[in-house]
Amino acid sequence: MDNAISVSHLNYHYADSDRLALNDINFDVAAGEWVAIIGHNGSGKSTLAKNLNGLLAPDSGTVEVAGMTLSEDTVWDIRSKIGIVFQNPDNQFVGATVADDIAFGLENRGVPRPEMVERVKDALARVKMTDFADREPARLSGGQKQRVAIAGIIAQQPEIIILDESTSMLDPAGRQEVLATINQLRDELGLTVLSITHDIEEAAGAHRIILLNDGQIKEVGTPEEIFAHGSELLELGLDVPYAAKLKEALSERGVKLPDGYLNEERLVDYLWTLHSTM
Amino acid sequence: MDITFDHVDFTYQAGTPFAGDGIKDVSVTIHDGSYTAIIGHTGSGKSTLLQHLNALLKPTAGSVTIGDFTITKETSNKNLKPLRQKVGMVFQFAENQLFEQTVARDIAFGPKNFGVSDADAQDLAKRMVKLVGLPEDVLDKSPFDLSGGQMRRVAIAGVLAMQPEVLVLDEPTAGLDPAGRHEMMAMFERLHREQGLTIVLVTHQMDDVADYADHVLVMEQGHLIKTGSPREIFADPAWLQEKQLGLPTTTQMAQDLVNKGFSFNPMPLTEQELADQLVPQLGGASHE
């Protein structure tokens, strides 16, 4: 399968610092894949996202997006393929109403009006914000704003969507719902998703996880492989998945459980086999 | 200082085409010295309720009594200053309200506005930086050179420098990494315990509710639909799921185990409680 994103030997430092914010970053993301990037605050996650669509220009190394190498000549083509939803939606609202705001990006791209109206309607329905089409974005709650910001990106039908802590203000049910919506789009349209997150349960739903630490890739692996590190994750400023914590509490009480990471479902199943043999 | 809501309504942009309900007929008391969590779906009125705690919003009907103050829609904005000192607000992304050239000046700004001398305000700044767990050498730095988590601590130090009796927190850990989140929640717990601060926390993190709060208010579409201790609120997983509120991770796990055939009484709120109740239910051969 083609790579949606291909990054090689990417280095980046901010002008006011000697330290490399990104240090020799190499990874590929296949088209249609869902990859989570995790790491503590300041590990370079958002800096990486901004290097992927040319908001920041790398010191050295190359970024390829949808088969194009990022440069001054390709940056606008690449931006038309990538939609980024930033953490704080207030930073990306421009419209007077929710519907206007979502239409803004489409107008900029010269989408004909009838199609625009349809796309706005569809995007709002997908994030369950249809009832808010005529409201002022500034007066919505934090979680509602995040839904609108996501709708704005969905309407543009990008090939790649980057979620930069985009669900941090949603309640747990809302977060599940929004992630399921994006996953459905991934299925339907072959969308590639890069989700930057602290939320270990959100990362657990990804195909692969890239673990960043102090500007370097510490490890790339499936959620099972990454979570097998258990309490080592705490030292990297991350959380330990709940199932791993419970497993530890049980082994402290003398209960023997299999080695390696069990997700919650498998842990429940395993505990049930112990229960049944009583 | 108790805070009592008596049949409070609040309508946003009343009398305009944008009018929308904030909260409806809310009656509740937040007791002095309590740690109260407010939970509810996105847009349920949590933040609206919060802004009544120091009269940033005034009820469109009903009244809010905060210590000696009674706020109704007729209350004038004059003379509310002492109230604003007593109830400290930490908004979402509090670091956005930093503005001064140094951390010390930013923290001292509030107290000085309230008539504290420059020397005393500087002294307060020094103490508050320590209280929020930052090293003293940040005092002379620009707040904008700090990391996001540190900036948020500075903003919180600025609120604490007013020496409030009530600390109101609107999703104070949003956007922090897990380590930062744990540290910050531990800091609030310490302030609650050591300084006797009343804490009102708006959060989506049910684990924080289970771990820290002693009283919970549940909001839905502007209405206060349930109040109780975390144990009472989380005792009914089906009700919470119906309200799309989610459960503490432990309670969710326990519920999954109940569906398999395990039983718990009471529903556990922490993994230690869950492990304690699980062990006797597991087969004898698998553990010593």
Side-chain angles (χ1 to χ4, degrees):
Chain A
M1 198 186 274
D2 290 342
N3 284 330
I5 300 172
S6 185
V7 173
S8 78
H9 302 295
L10 175 65
N11 289 302
Y12 180 84
H13 81 281
Y14 285 97
D16 57 359
S17 161
D18 301 330
R19 198 178 63 88
L20 280 176
L22 295 173
N23 187 350
D24 197 27
I25 301 290
N26 296 284
F27 68 93
D28 297 324
V29 178
E33 196 179 15
W34 183 306
V35 173
I37 300 181
I38 64 174
H40 61 79
N41 281 354
S43 60
K45 304 186 299 292
S46 297
T47 307
L48 178 56
K50 288 177 187 160
N51 268 280
L52 296 181
N53 77 341
L55 281 176
L56 296 176
D59 298 353
S60 60
T62 55
V63 173
E64 271 179 46
V65 175
M68 292 178 282
T69 302
L70 180 62
S71 69
E72 271 180 45
D73 297 331
T74 58
V75 64
W76 294 102
D77 288 331
I78 284 179
R79 282 189 194 163
S80 73
K81 309 227 179 265
I82 301 187
I84 301 192
V85 187
F86 292 103
Q87 176 176 321
N88 190 346
D90 286 326
N91 296 343
Q92 64 192 94
F93 285 140
V94 289
T97 68
V98 164
D100 281 357
D101 192 79
I102 294 170
F104 177 79
L106 302 179
E107 279 181 324
N108 266 350
R109 285 173 193 189
V111 174
R113 185 172 162 82
E115 186 188 340
M116 187 162 78
V117 171
E118 272 313 301
R119 283 213 218 168
V120 169
K121 219 167 98 184
D122 175 64
L124 280 175
R126 285 189 187 265
V127 299
K128 301 211 164 66
M129 289 293 290
T130 304
D131 294 347
F132 295 83
D134 297 324
R135 299 279 288 274
E136 245 181 299
R139 295 189 185 265
L140 301 176
S141 76
Q144 288 169 336
K145 285 177 184 173
Q146 286 191 322
R147 284 175 188 255
V148 172
I150 290 169
I153 300 301
I154 290 177
Q156 298 183 36
Q157 304 178 344
E159 289 176 25
I160 299 162
I161 189 163
I162 299 179
L163 305 170
D164 187 357
E165 292 282 341
S166 324
T167 61
S168 57
M169 285 185 277
L170 287 163
D171 47 84
R175 171 176 305 162
Q176 285 310 319
E177 206 177 278
V178 166
L179 291 174
T181 301
I182 292 169
N183 208 16
Q184 194 190 341
L185 286 169
R186 194 185 59 75
D187 263 354
E188 283 173 23
L189 310 170
L191 191 69
T192 304
V193 181
L194 206 55
S195 82
I196 293 172
T197 182
H198 295 137
D199 186 74
I200 208 88
E201 314 294 340
E202 179 176 331
H207 297 121
R208 284 190 302 150
I209 294 177
I210 296 174
L211 178 53
L212 271 186
N213 190 42
D214 296 332
Q216 289 179 295
I217 293 187
K218 172 109 179 144
E219 197 169 328
V220 181
T222 63
E224 284 73 20
E225 286 162 359
I226 300 290
F227 295 159
H229 293 299
S231 49
E232 245 178 80
L233 293 169
L234 282 179
E235 288 158 34
L236 297 172
L238 296 165
D239 235 342
V240 176
Y242 183 78
K245 282 192 232 170
L246 180 61
K247 205 177 135 185
E248 203 175 307
L250 286 168
S251 52
E252 279 165 12
R253 287 163 178 76
V255 178
K256 288 203 182 88
L257 293 164
D259 289 338
Y261 173 70
L262 294 176
N263 65 23
E264 287 177 28
E265 206 182 324
R266 279 161 58 205
L267 183 59
V268 166
D269 287 343
Y270 190 82
L271 289 171
W272 177 239
T273 63
L274 295 182
H275 182 275
S276 314
T277 56
M278 269 175 89
Chain B
M1 192 174 70
D2 286 357
I3 299 177
T4 300
F5 284 66
D6 186 14
H7 298 288
V8 173
D9 286 354
F10 182 81
T11 308
Y12 277 100
Q13 295 172 285
T16 75
F18 290 113
D21 278 342
I23 51 177
K24 282 294 271 181
D25 197 26
V26 171
S27 295
V28 69
T29 295
I30 294 169
H31 289 286
D32 185 47
S34 70
Y35 194 132
T36 300
I38 304 177
I39 61 175
H41 205 258
T42 299
S44 62
K46 303 184 299 291
S47 296
T48 308
L49 184 69
L50 222 59
Q51 292 176 67
H52 283 80
L53 296 175
N54 73 350
L56 281 176
L57 295 178
K58 287 177 282 188
T60 31
S63 67
V64 182
T65 307
I66 308 159
D68 300 334
F69 290 84
T70 298
I71 310 294
T72 65
K73 80 174 174 202
E74 277 90 23
T75 305
S76 130
N77 281 336
K78 281 182 192 166
N79 310 319
L80 288 178
K81 226 171 158 182
L83 171 62
R84 304 261 159 84
Q85 180 267 314
K86 284 190 169 134
V87 182
M89 287 267 180
V90 177
F91 291 103
Q92 282 179 22
F93 298 99
E95 58 275 23
N96 290 346
Q97 64 200 48
L98 299 174
F99 69 101
E100 267 285 10
Q101 287 165 12
T102 68
V103 167
R105 287 172 63 163
D106 206 294
I107 297 174
F109 178 80
K112 279 168 73 176
N113 245 350
F114 281 80
V116 173
S117 75
D118 195 42
D120 287 351
Q122 292 300 328
D123 184 53
L124 261 174
K126 213 178 271 179
R127 277 166 42 211
M128 293 308 135
V129 153
K130 214 175 188 178
L131 199 59
V132 297
L134 288 172
E136 212 173 281
D137 66 10
V138 302
L139 282 166
D140 298 324
K141 289 187 185 163
S142 162
F144 302 102
D145 288 342
L146 305 177
S147 76
Q150 289 177 324
M151 281 169 75
R152 194 169 301 176
R153 280 168 194 259
V154 171
I156 292 168
V159 174
L160 291 172
M162 311 289 287
Q163 300 181 294
E165 294 173 31
V166 181
L167 186 62
V168 180
L169 306 163
D170 192 355
E171 297 190 46
T173 61
L176 296 184
D177 62 18
R181 209 170 64 218
H182 291 313
E183 279 170 25
M184 193 156 286
M185 290 311 294
M187 174 182 97
F188 295 135
E189 164 67 15
R190 187 162 47 80
L191 292 168
H192 174 61
R193 220 180 36 238
E194 291 173 6
Q195 320 270 324
L197 268 177
T198 304
I199 295 200
V200 181
L201 169 73
V202 164
T203 186
H204 292 311
Q205 309 280 344
M206 296 301 154
D207 288 348
D208 288 343
V209 177
D211 290 344
Y212 298 108
D214 50 40
H215 194 220
V216 186
L217 314 182
V218 187
M219 297 292 296
E220 184 184 55
Q221 293 182 351
H223 294 271
L224 178 64
I225 55 168
K226 202 169 192 172
T227 62
S229 67
R231 194 159 308 277
E232 285 161 355
I233 298 291
F234 297 128
D236 189 354
W239 184 83
L240 284 155
Q241 268 152 2
E242 180 196 314
K243 301 291 175 202
Q244 296 196 341
L245 281 174
L247 294 166
T249 319
T250 293
T251 315
Q252 181 62 57
M253 186 82 179
Q255 183 61 26
D256 293 344
L257 288 161
V258 166
N259 294 341
K260 284 272 180 190
F262 285 87
S263 60
F264 302 100
N265 185 27
M267 275 307 259
L269 297 179
T270 65
E271 76 249 16
Q272 301 298 333
E273 279 178 33
L274 175 58
D276 282 340
Q277 289 199 49
L278 263 176
V279 171
Q281 299 187 59
L282 298 173
S286 63
H287 62 97
E288 291 89 340

